[in-house]
Amino acid sequence: MGLKIGELAKATGTKVETVRYYERIGLLPEAERTSGNYRSYAPAHLDQLNFIRHARRLGFDIADIRSLLDLAGQPERDCAEVDRIASGHLRAVEDKIARLALLREELNRMIGQCRGGSVGNCRIIETLADHGLCESDHGGG
Amino acid sequence: MGLKIGELAKATGTKVETVRYYERIGLLPEAERTSGNYRSYAPAHLDQLNFIRHARRLGFDIADIRSLLDLAGQPERDCAEVDRIASGHLRAVEDKIARLALLREELNRMIGQCRGGSVGNCRIIETLADHGLCESDHGGG
DNA sequence: ATGCACCCTGTAGCAGCTACAGGGTCAAGG
DNA sequence: CCTTGACCCTGTAGCTGCTACAGGGTGCAT
């Protein structure tokens, strides 16, 4: 009566292997089994997998999603913790953007200096060979 | 007479294990060995490792760096290929930034809707549970 | 001879999947 | 009844770019 794993996967835009992976790491609860040992999923699984996939698409990592699922299961709790997780993730995303923006500038400058010609006097290669030629701090990370 | 691996590592801001890793995958040529079987690095190694580290800091992946090193060793060649690699990477970085910016918007909206209170009516949890509540296409990928 | 900092090899772990190999199940068609 | 094909099962290895051991050797000072 429940969904087979392939159906669940299709319904949520997930790969079958990924569903099994989520089960293995305990992110998705184990499904009932049919007499033929096939997994059989209930609507609750569908909801939870949708939640997981959505959170993943938003870039939350598995540990965060675990916490969020846990919290979602305790509706009476204060949602400050939810907020904390989401805000922390937002900050991480902003950080990543900032770092990538620095790389973009540096790459742009590097590429802009290349006037064609031979590798021997290619500014891109020169710049890569000598960090001193860089302006910004696209530094250690 | 050459540098020991720890000295090379320090001089380039690399970990010793990483240097050995680069050698193992053939990114850095093998070093001479002392009578005691210690690696002994020449200045050329130092230059190459600096090149590698700089490229890594700029986000190039190992395959790209392999190509760049290869090209750097053929100074008479046209640098169009170098340009192609760098530009491709720049585009990848821009792509990543664009995708992260979408996530940032969506996260911002989600978090902005949370008015405190209990998890039971937390907009963050609701939004995660239902992708339909999203506006942007922070979609599959 | 003893201690210590450094070096060696080899292997396993991280995240988050993905992709097999080598089998079983089930419904349809001949 | 038997086969074909689509699906399912478990278990394990691979991807990227390192990082972190374990279990040993080297080299120099005391």
Side-chain angles (χ1 to χ4, degrees):
Chain A
M1 283 219 357
L3 294 164
K4 277 190 278 185
I5 195 169
E7 294 164 341
L8 179 73
K10 202 165 195 180
T12 55
T14 315
K15 300 205 173 177
V16 166
E17 284 97 338
T18 305
V19 177
R20 283 196 283 249
Y21 169 70
Y22 287 159
E23 179 185 301
R24 202 162 59 243
I25 65 172
L27 195 61
L28 197 60
E30 292 187 19
E32 302 288 310
R33 297 294 182 122
T34 67
S35 59
N37 199 31
Y38 284 16
R39 287 172 182 83
S40 174
Y41 290 97
H45 286 105
L46 183 63
D47 291 345
Q48 181 151 341
L49 186 49
N50 271 326
F51 185 104
I52 292 168
R53 293 308 288 174
H54 193 189
R56 286 294 297 130
R57 261 180 265 121
L58 284 167
F60 287 95
D61 64 23
I62 302 277
D64 278 351
I65 296 176
R66 240 183 254 278
S67 307
L68 289 170
L69 283 170
D70 189 41
L71 289 161
Q74 305 171 255
E76 74 292 344
R77 275 189 62 170
D78 192 285
C79 77
E81 182 68 9
V82 172
D83 203 278
R84 207 187 54 74
I85 293 172
S87 301
H89 179 49
L90 174 57
R91 248 176 290 118
V93 168
E94 282 169 343
D95 250 49
K96 225 178 243 175
I97 290 174
R99 263 180 290 115
L100 285 170
L102 279 179
L103 294 197
R104 185 183 49 192
E105 300 321 307
E106 199 55 50
L107 287 167
N108 253 327
R109 247 219 340 282
M110 253 177 54
I111 293 168
Q113 286 180 338
C114 179
R115 298 271 164 261
S118 72
V119 168
N121 39 20
C122 176
R123 298 285 287 153
I124 296 177
I125 294 287
E126 278 175 40
T127 305
L128 286 172
D130 185 358
H131 191 165
L133 299 177
C134 285
E135 280 169 16
S136 67
D137 253 6
H138 56 117
Chain B
M1 285 209 357
L3 295 166
K4 277 192 277 184
I5 195 169
E7 294 164 340
L8 178 72
K10 202 167 196 178
T12 56
T14 314
K15 301 208 169 172
V16 166
E17 285 97 338
T18 304
V19 178
R20 283 197 285 248
Y21 169 70
Y22 288 159
E23 179 185 303
R24 203 162 58 243
I25 64 171
L27 195 61
L28 197 60
E30 292 188 19
E32 302 288 310
R33 297 293 181 123
T34 68
S35 60
N37 200 31
Y38 285 15
R39 288 173 181 81
S40 175
Y41 291 98
H45 285 105
L46 184 63
D47 292 344
Q48 181 151 341
L49 186 50
N50 272 326
F51 185 104
I52 292 168
R53 292 309 288 174
H54 192 189
R56 285 294 298 130
R57 261 181 266 122
L58 284 166
F60 287 95
D61 64 22
I62 303 277
D64 278 351
I65 296 176
R66 240 183 253 278
S67 306
L68 290 169
L69 283 170
D70 189 42
L71 288 161
Q74 305 170 255
E76 73 291 343
R77 275 190 61 169
D78 190 287
C79 77
E81 181 68 9
V82 173
D83 202 278
R84 206 186 55 72
I85 293 171
S87 301
H89 179 48
L90 174 57
R91 248 176 292 120
V93 168
E94 284 169 341
D95 251 49
K96 224 177 245 178
I97 290 174
R99 261 180 291 114
L100 285 170
L102 280 179
L103 294 196
R104 184 184 49 193
E105 300 321 307
E106 198 57 50
L107 287 167
N108 253 327
R109 250 225 333 286
M110 253 175 53
I111 292 167
Q113 286 180 339
C114 179
R115 300 270 164 259
S118 71
V119 168
N121 40 19
C122 176
R123 298 286 285 153
I124 296 175
I125 294 287
E126 278 174 40
T127 305
L128 286 172
D130 185 357
H131 191 167
L133 297 177
C134 286
E135 279 168 18
S136 67
D137 253 6
H138 57 117

